[in-house]
Amino acid sequence: MVRQMSHDLSQLRKFVSPEIIFGAGCRHSVANYAKTFGARKVLLVSDPGVVAAGWVADIERSLSEQGIDFHRYTNVSPNPRVEEVMLGAEVYRSQGCNVIVAVGGGSPMDCAKGIGIVAAHGRSILEFEGVDKLRVPSPPLILIPTTAGTSADVSQFVIISNQAERMKFSVVSKAVVPDVSLIDPETTLTMDPFLSACTGIDALVHAIEAFVSTGNGPLTDPHALEAMRLINGNLVQMIANPNDIALREKIMLGSMQAGLAFSNAILGAVHAMSHSLGGFLDLPHGLCNAVLVEHVVAFNYSAAPERFKVIAETFGIDCRGLNHAQIRQRLVEHLIELKRAVGFHESLGLHGVGSSDIPFLSRHAMQDPCILTNPRESSQRDVEVVYGEAL
Ligand SMILES: [Fe+2]
């Protein structure tokens, strides 16, 4: 006889991931993967900086060698916009493409994901804001990241900038996890120190937020902790030694692990607030996170003290004999030190944010899906106070 058991469904966790190929030089195998999807013509999404770095030419060479036709689309801003997604989908259709490949940082990758959604549904990308709004599978998607941070190449997130409203919005769905992610650390050799710092801090914040998220669990925790260890232990050295491929590989691996963690455990208030800020000021995403991170950690600590203690220990802080107030203080100091060591001395005020902007920013942060998994339940007033501390 089968025993009847009661199941607490709230404890179930799922884990989604693309097929991942990790290693130096793997970008050259893109045509093999495109072929397995029956590629006739590829829409190749990138941006002018990545073209100049030479990575687009590598992808085109691989496709040409296998006789796969392609059309290059590089009309992508640093914070990709609604119009760029819509135009890209039109180009995808008019060029008769049937596979999408993106090479670049978070911007071309998010734009490519958006193009896939619009190409499949035939409606504006604005209609898909929120969680699980997609109904039709996107065309086959292969992503090749050239930064070690955003993890758009493994995540179920798309972040698009709505310039008309001065805000960013998120589309969250497992249907936007790409089919294949070719993670090639060599492509990060062309990142300048500022971009390396922005993307590295973004990846570290992904790991921290995933570990304390209300969606955390045994499937994501090991990835989050290993990401923290790798990034905390190697980011400063990597920026000081930009041509050291072994260090680039460690940070790329850390970024990937942080991506697997946050894509499945979701994020928290740093990202909710940073999306709002990035939409308002069109600033680099990693910079927005860097400005906010220690303030949000200080705010959140009391909601998950044991987890924050594990984070502190992972960063090498000796917590023996310390109470939680002391650990919280040491953790905040560590984050500030790390930020300074990679070149961040920023505050919101330095970027022209004034106290009169805070209600607008906070309203939008409260509408971001990432606020829902923040470990400490936050009211708009709480978010306003944290923005105020970061001024
Ligand atoms: Fe991020």
Side-chain angles (χ1 to χ4, degrees), residues 14 16 113 116-117 121 132-139 141 155-158 171-179:
K14 70 172 179 182
V16 292
K113 288 173 156 184
I117 294 168
H121 290 79
D132 287 337
K133 297 282 170 61
L134 304 187
R135 294 290 167 262
V136 184
S138 293
L141 178 64
S155 82
Q156 46 181 332
F157 281 74
V158 188
V171 180
V172 188
S173 167
K174 69 173 183 234
V176 301
V177 174
D179 298 282

Side-chain angles (χ1 to χ4, degrees), residues 149-150 202 206 262 267 271 275 285 289:
T150 79
D202 185 26
H206 291 157
F262 94 76
L267 294 157
H271 271 77
H275 291 154
H285 170 65
N289 284 342

Side-chain angles (χ1 to χ4, degrees), residues 108-376:
M109 292 194 287
D110 275 350
C111 191
K113 288 173 156 184
I115 290 170
I117 294 168
V118 174
H121 290 79
R123 285 153 51 202
S124 169
I125 188 67
L126 288 164
E127 294 181 33
F128 300 97
E129 176 175 3
V131 180
D132 287 337
K133 297 282 170 61
L134 304 187
R135 294 290 167 262
V136 184
S138 293
L141 178 64
I142 302 172
L143 298 183
I144 305 160
T146 61
T147 62
T150 79
S151 295
D153 57 296
V154 294
S155 82
Q156 46 181 332
F157 281 74
V158 188
I159 314 292
I160 302 295
S161 186
N162 179 351
Q163 291 280 301
E165 304 284 335
R166 290 190 79 180
M167 58 181 283
K168 283 182 163 183
F169 64 97
S170 313
V171 180
V172 188
S173 167
K174 69 173 183 234
V176 301
V177 174
D179 298 282
V180 174
S181 171
L182 298 174
I183 306 180
D184 184 341
E186 283 179 0
T187 64
T188 64
L189 288 167
T190 48
M191 285 200 294
D192 64 28
F194 178 68
L195 186 58
S196 298
C198 282
T199 51
I201 294 292
D202 185 26
L204 189 70
V205 172
H206 291 157
I208 296 171
E209 292 213 278
F211 191 70
V212 297
S213 156
T214 57
N216 76 59
L219 301 182
T220 52
D221 285 350
H223 291 295
L225 291 173
E226 181 62 4
M228 283 181 232
R229 197 185 64 75
L230 283 166
I231 298 163
N232 180 68
N234 296 287
L235 185 62
V236 175
Q237 295 86 325
M238 184 201 83
I239 290 169
N241 303 283
N243 297 320
D244 186 328
I245 187 70
L247 288 170
R248 292 283 186 187
E249 205 161 293
K250 284 182 180 154
I251 295 297
M252 196 62 152
L253 188 61
S255 163
M256 182 204 78
Q257 302 238 42
L260 290 172
F262 94 76
S263 176
N264 291 288
I266 318 298
L267 294 157
V270 181
H271 271 77
M273 294 173 69
S274 122
H275 291 154
S276 172
L277 192 59
F280 184 61
L281 289 178
D282 207 16
L283 288 172
H285 170 65
L287 174 67
C288 295
N289 284 342
V291 173
L292 296 163
V293 59
E294 75 267 23
H295 302 287
V296 175
V297 165
F299 171 77
N300 278 342
Y301 192 99
S302 63
E306 290 309 319
R307 286 205 157 240
F308 278 111
K309 183 179 176 189
V310 173
I311 293 175
E313 286 167 345
T314 305
F315 288 159
I317 297 168
D318 184 356
C319 297
R320 284 173 300 181
L322 301 185
N323 63 31
H324 276 300
Q326 292 164 322
I327 298 170
R328 173 179 179 264
Q329 185 59 30
R330 295 283 296 276
L331 183 56
V332 164
E333 285 164 5
H334 180 87
L335 289 168
I336 294 170
E337 258 169 50
L338 181 67
K339 278 169 38 174
R340 292 215 173 113
V342 299
F344 286 121
H345 305 270
E346 323 269 340
S347 67
L348 284 182
L350 268 180
H351 291 283
V353 178
S355 46
S356 61
D357 300 318
I358 289 180
F360 175 91
L361 290 170
S362 305
R363 222 170 28 250
H364 287 304
M366 291 301 291
Q367 289 163 5
D368 192 283
C370 295
I371 202 77
L372 299 173
T373 44
N374 192 60
R376 182 167 165 189

